[in-house]
Amino acid sequence: MRVACVQFAPVFGNLDANTEIIVNHIDQIDADVIVFPELATSGYFHLGHDEVTRIAEPLAGPTTQRVIDAATRSGKVVVCGFAERDGEMMYNAALIAGKGIAQPRVYRKTHLFYKETLGFTPGNSGFFTVYIEHLDCTIGTMICYDWRFPESARALALQGADLIVCPSNLVTHIWRMAMPVRAFENKVYLAVANRTGAEHNAGEDVAFNGQSAIYGYNGSVLADAPAEGDAIVIAELHPEQTRDKAFNSINDIFKDRREDMY
Ligand code: ACM
């Protein structure tokens, strides 16, 4: 199976323009699973409840439904970050939709980063996986700063994830050291779709550092993108190869866990 990460710079606050870009990519990219960045439909640095309310919509909202429809129509699995509104609650979320997924799912970011805390509610979906039968692949989702907590990827791996996808708007650089370790320590594939560009709000600049990457289950880089500019990275995965967690005839990285000692 082929997985793709799309790297681009969403237009701040322009849901229509961003959705157009996303839908075109879904139609055109030759991959089974396509991952877009965090808050790809809206841009990132929306501060506080009122600003986030303006860009948030329900899972089946006007722009998110276009993404879901494109995924279904094209016969692909799509994971795409968006700002979700559920009543008065706003979540930094990712939709998981398309072929093999009866009902679109939504993951709500567990660990909010920096000023996201001013406008978003900490996610309550918990970490979950989705089995895609025609790909024989179990996919788990985390969002950006979730990487900083090894528990995120571990929770997904313990639920059988072969592939962890990570829509991102990364602003620090240390993730490039840690992310391959998340793949290696869980023996899973990991696809990081990171955005580029910069945003300015309330006198503050934030810059995003691209370098979207797909890691193999031994932590190797299978495909990666430059730090700047639009890019699509694609890798061929073999999900079944992640499932044997033994690394010699005696040790198994999951069976050897001593949960009673942690
Ligand atoms: C981040 O979680 N967007 C750094």
Side-chain angles (χ1 to χ4, degrees):
M1 61 171 273
R2 282 160 66 84
V3 62
C5 291
V6 177
Q7 171 171 307
F8 75 113
V11 185
F12 188 71
N14 192 334
L15 276 74
D16 283 342
N18 295 325
T19 306
E20 194 67 28
I21 292 168
I22 291 164
V23 166
N24 285 339
H25 279 309
I26 294 171
D27 287 340
Q28 284 165 21
I29 294 172
D30 178 18
D32 302 292
V33 178
I34 306 176
V35 189
F36 291 91
E38 177 181 14
L39 295 172
T41 59
S42 62
Y44 179 74
F45 207 40
H46 302 272
L47 298 175
H49 184 265
D50 291 353
E51 287 188 22
V52 170
T53 302
R54 258 179 253 138
I55 48 115
E57 58 181 83
L59 173 59
T63 62
T64 40
Q65 189 61 51
R66 285 186 64 199
V67 177
I68 293 167
D69 290 346
T72 308
R73 183 179 66 234
S74 66
K76 295 162 189 166
V77 172
V78 169
V79 181
C80 180
F82 74 107
E84 186 203 10
R85 171 152 47 85
D86 183 12
E88 279 303 295
M89 301 299 180
M90 309 296 151
Y91 296 102
N92 182 337
L95 65 83
I96 303 108
K99 185 171 178 185
I101 302 167
Q103 287 297 324
R105 302 286 304 270
V106 63
Y107 167 68
R108 294 168 170 169
K109 186 175 184 178
T110 303
H111 306 96
L112 295 179
F113 182 74
Y114 192 48
K115 292 187 178 174
E116 291 167 29
T117 52
L118 304 179
F120 290 104
T121 306
N124 59 0
S125 62
F127 293 99
F128 62 86
T129 56
V130 177
Y131 178 65
I132 312 293
E133 191 168 0
H134 70 281
L135 301 175
D136 184 24
C137 180
T138 299
I139 299 178
T141 305
M142 60 183 191
I143 298 179
C144 204
Y145 180 56
D146 282 332
W147 74 263
R148 193 67 179 78
F149 303 85
E151 296 89 343
S152 309
R154 177 50 56 93
L156 292 168
L158 289 173
Q159 291 178 53
D162 304 306
L163 165 64
I164 294 176
V165 295
C166 189
S168 295
N169 280 188
L170 289 148
V171 294
T172 60
H173 291 273
I174 192 73
W175 67 272
R176 294 186 57 232
M177 261 174 81
M179 212 68 93
V181 180
R182 297 290 167 270
F184 161 79
E185 69 196 357
N186 291 294
K187 198 179 173 187
V188 295
Y189 291 102
L190 175 55
V192 182
N194 192 25
R195 65 161 289 177
T196 54
E199 290 179 356
H200 179 88
N201 196 356
E204 189 171 353
D205 294 306
V206 283
F208 308 95
N209 53 50
Q211 299 169 90
S212 297
I214 302 169
Y215 300 99
Y217 52 78
N218 59 3
S220 59
V221 177
L222 300 180
D224 63 351
E228 290 175 14
D230 294 357
I232 297 162
V233 291
I234 298 183
E236 183 83 32
L237 311 189
H238 304 277
E240 74 288 352
Q241 293 182 3
T242 68
R243 294 176 194 160
D244 178 1
K245 304 292 186 186
F247 75 94
N248 61 36
S249 61
I250 294 176
N251 294 110
D252 178 297
I253 61 169
F254 278 13
K255 292 192 186 127
D256 289 349
R257 296 176 67 245
R258 300 279 311 276
E259 280 188 74
D260 55 327
M261 295 289 139
Y262 303 147

